[in-house]
Amino acid sequence: MKPSAVVGRDYRSISLTSPSTSDAPSLQHSFCQSIRIPTRNSSFNTISITSAVTKRGIVFCAAERDSPAKCLRLILNSPGVHPGPACFDALSAKLVERAGFNYCFTSGFSISAARLGLPDTGFISYGEMVDQGQQITQAVTIPVIGDGDNGYGNAMNVKRTVKGYIRAGFAGIILEDQVSPKACGHTRGRKVVPREEAVMRIKAAVDAREESGSDIVIVARTDSRQAVSLDESLWRSVAFADAGADVLFIDALASREEMKAFCEISPLVPKMANMLEGGGKTPILNPLELEDIGYKLVAYPISLIGVSIQAMQDALIAIKGGRVPPPGSMPSFDEMKEILGFSTYYEEEKRYATSGSQLSRERGVNMPLLPQKCCIWHNCGKKKPVPFFKVLTSMADRGFKF
């Protein structure tokens, strides 16, 4: 008997058929895998299936829905290195998911650029980042690691930030040890808080997670490599791991040797690399090289915002010159509608159509149903049918506003 999985019509249930228990004596090993099932409201519906491999194949023995954080932890516990582009809004997150990535980051640099048109120098607020993050997490089914900057204040602010990111649907949060106002990574003017305060921020984040009953992944970042020294950044990373951080991240490491030294500390805690495209302080290595050094997660922070800026500039040059962007430089209108889910919307809309509804999709709007004629009373005391538009015209002439 072959194992099979049947997804319910509501996209929210899964039934499993397992082989006979006679396979049990031939058990070789077990593992856990996840299956993502799209939902109509774009909410998370990842199914975690605990499986056992036998000589006759795979035996499914349990299934449950995963939280975003649990799904991210499955990725952290899986072999290999995992690249994750950084998005900045719901659309860019959708494109990351469509491209086949199993998770993504948010980038404070990119969100500040797209939402405010300002540099990532502390202008954007906690509230704006949470609001943007909620739009992003609701648009995709893959886990999202949110850029939490420096927690927007002291340890108590960090607790509020972590709890807010949990409510917003983030699977993970990156917290750094910079002062306020913060500076963007790989730029001048970065300063960090004292050691003790930096560690207390991570402890506060861990406490906030426990108080919320959540399993959000805490990524502890230090900017002390550029602000102080390599030794200082290594000391802080070890202290962050001891405080309960799930992933460690030193920004702006300047060489392969520094990256190797980082990956050798706290060997049981996954490490994150930041491949700043376009010219940062850290060498740009391919995923296999990063895996060989010892990294687990790899962020590509500005690729999407960078190519978006370039594409918009090219399109504006074309329009200013009296042309439209060439076909190869942008998707067709049909392709854009597909990406945004028009066809899915139209299919679902049919479920709620009424017998008297009249949709005018050709005009791009819903036209309300209007009576062709309306009966009105005349001075003679008799009703007389007249065209409805004449009634409206008459009422408008008398000062009625619609």
Side-chain angles (χ1 to χ4, degrees):
M1 178 178 176
K2 295 182 179 180
S4 63
V6 181
V7 179
R9 290 187 63 186
D10 61 354
Y11 297 92
R12 293 178 178 274
S13 61
I14 183 168
S15 61
L16 301 173
T17 303
S18 302
S20 66
T21 55
S22 61
D23 281 331
S26 60
L27 180 67
Q28 294 177 328
H29 64 274
S30 63
F31 62 93
C32 185
Q33 61 184 9
S34 61
I35 298 176
R36 290 188 181 86
I37 300 174
T39 62
R40 292 192 175 95
N41 63 357
S42 298
S43 65
F44 250 99
N45 196 17
T46 301
I47 304 298
S48 174
I49 302 177
T50 303
S51 310
V53 178
T54 73
K55 293 179 181 179
R56 299 186 185 181
I58 298 176
V59 180
F60 296 106
C61 56
E64 61 181 0
R65 289 182 59 184
D66 278 348
S67 68
K70 185 174 181 180
C71 186
L72 180 58
R73 289 184 183 277
L74 288 174
I75 294 171
L76 288 171
N77 291 328
S78 63
V81 67
H82 303 281
C87 63
F88 51 89
D89 59 11
L91 176 58
S92 58
K94 275 180 173 288
L95 294 174
V96 171
E97 184 174 35
R98 285 174 61 91
F101 291 92
N102 55 9
Y103 80 104
C104 68
F105 296 89
T106 64
S107 161
F109 178 97
S110 302
I111 292 175
S112 183
R115 182 166 176 139
L116 304 181
L118 292 173
D120 183 24
T121 53
F123 283 117
I124 199 158
S125 68
Y126 158 78
E128 290 167 316
M129 289 293 284
V130 167
D131 177 66
Q132 196 81 353
Q134 190 167 22
Q135 294 180 30
I136 289 169
T137 60
Q138 290 179 352
V140 296
T141 62
I142 58 175
V144 183
I145 300 175
D147 187 349
D149 291 324
N150 57 8
Y152 308 100
N154 62 16
M156 296 302 294
N157 294 105
V158 169
K159 292 186 72 172
R160 178 174 182 255
T161 297
V162 171
K163 292 178 180 180
Y165 275 48
I166 291 171
R167 289 191 296 270
F170 281 108
I173 181 171
I174 302 173
L175 293 166
E176 60 197 46
D177 57 358
Q178 286 199 58
V179 300
S180 295
K182 58 154 285 180
C184 179
H186 298 255
T187 63
R188 65 184 183 183
R190 284 198 285 180
K191 298 178 182 179
V192 293
V193 299
R195 285 181 173 183
E196 185 178 7
E197 183 177 348
V199 174
M200 284 302 170
R201 287 183 181 179
I202 301 304
K203 288 185 177 180
V206 172
D207 288 344
R209 175 175 63 192
E210 294 177 354
E211 292 170 7
S212 301
S214 169
D215 198 25
I216 189 170
V217 173
I218 296 173
V219 181
R221 161 179 163 170
T222 179
D223 290 72
S224 55
R225 168 62 190 94
Q226 189 174 350
V228 185
S229 67
L230 174 63
D231 288 341
E232 179 67 15
S233 65
L234 295 176
W235 187 96
R236 291 187 181 220
S237 295
V238 172
F240 293 162
D242 293 340
D246 301 295
V247 179
L248 301 177
F249 168 30
I250 298 178
D251 193 46
L253 291 171
S255 67
R256 238 180 231 263
E257 291 67 33
E258 291 188 1
M259 297 166 79
K260 288 180 179 178
F262 169 48
C263 289
E264 288 172 357
I265 65 169
S266 301
L268 298 180
V269 182
K271 310 301 189 301
M272 171 182 154
N274 186 34
M275 297 289 96
L276 181 60
E277 313 89 318
K281 298 182 179 298
T282 303
I284 300 295
L285 305 179
N286 65 48
L288 291 179
E289 292 174 309
L290 291 168
E291 180 182 4
D292 185 59
I293 291 174
Y295 283 101
K296 177 60 66 175
L297 302 180
V298 186
Y300 296 86
I302 60 173
S303 288
L304 298 188
I305 191 69
V307 298
S308 298
I309 291 171
Q310 185 64 60
M312 287 189 284
Q313 288 176 329
D314 292 343
L316 291 169
I317 290 172
I319 294 171
K320 193 173 183 180
R323 309 181 306 277
V324 297
S329 67
M330 59 182 289
S332 68
F333 185 50
D334 285 340
E335 290 170 332
M336 285 189 274
K337 289 189 296 181
E338 179 62 28
I339 290 170
L340 295 174
F342 274 76
S343 57
T344 302
Y345 173 87
Y346 293 147
E347 282 299 313
E348 185 172 356
E349 185 185 39
K350 293 177 182 177
R351 296 171 55 198
Y352 308 105
T354 60
S355 57
S357 63
Q358 178 180 337
L359 301 177
S360 298
R361 289 297 175 205
E362 297 81 4
R363 301 186 182 182
V365 296
N366 286 336
M367 297 298 294
L369 290 174
L370 297 177
Q372 296 300 311
K373 292 187 177 182
C374 178
C375 292
I376 61 173
W377 288 92
H378 284 256
N379 291 335
C380 63
K382 295 182 179 180
K383 289 190 296 183
K384 182 179 180 181
V386 297
F388 187 71
F389 78 90
K390 289 188 176 181
V391 176
L392 295 180
T393 303
S394 177
M395 293 174 70
D397 292 342
R398 288 168 171 76
F400 284 91
K401 294 183 179 180
F402 304 97

